[in-house]
Amino acid sequence: MIGSWVFSTLIQSSFGIAPDEWNSIFKRFYRAQNAKGVDGAGLGLYLASLIFQKQGGYILVDSKPGKYTTFSMFLQNCKK
């Protein structure tokens, strides 16, 4: 926990995502250029981001094409 936030990080060793696509990957039906030919509808990150936003949280992305992608997810700690 960081202050009043709870966070989790997911690291995926994969083809990575180019920095110029980081904002776009959270849009509905968006598929990264290097995801062509990989199953998916472009809804997963959109829905995850929407859920986190509705709960007062957010998701950050860091990626190096051809190496890895890291998603850091933050939610407000509602514990009183």
Side-chain angles (χ1 to χ4, degrees):
M1 260 187 271
I2 300 174
S4 62
W5 293 87
V6 176
F7 75 97
S8 179
T9 301
L10 170 72
I11 302 171
Q12 181 181 25
S13 298
S14 66
F15 44 81
I17 302 165
D20 61 338
E21 292 187 280
W22 290 359
N23 288 325
S24 297
I25 61 173
F26 296 103
K27 294 178 182 173
R28 187 170 55 167
F29 302 123
Y30 184 82
R31 301 275 304 183
Q33 294 301 311
N34 58 2
K36 305 299 182 207
V38 178
D39 288 341
L43 288 172
L45 290 173
Y46 166 75
L47 291 173
S49 179
L50 185 63
I51 291 166
F52 272 77
Q53 288 175 18
K54 295 278 186 189
Q55 296 300 317
Y58 58 97
I59 301 174
L60 298 178
V61 63
D62 180 36
S63 187
K64 183 169 183 171
K67 300 287 184 184
Y68 66 88
T69 301
T70 301
F71 293 100
S72 298
M73 299 151 285
F74 297 80
L75 283 174
Q76 289 182 342
N77 183 7
C78 297
K79 188 177 181 180
K80 294 184 180 191

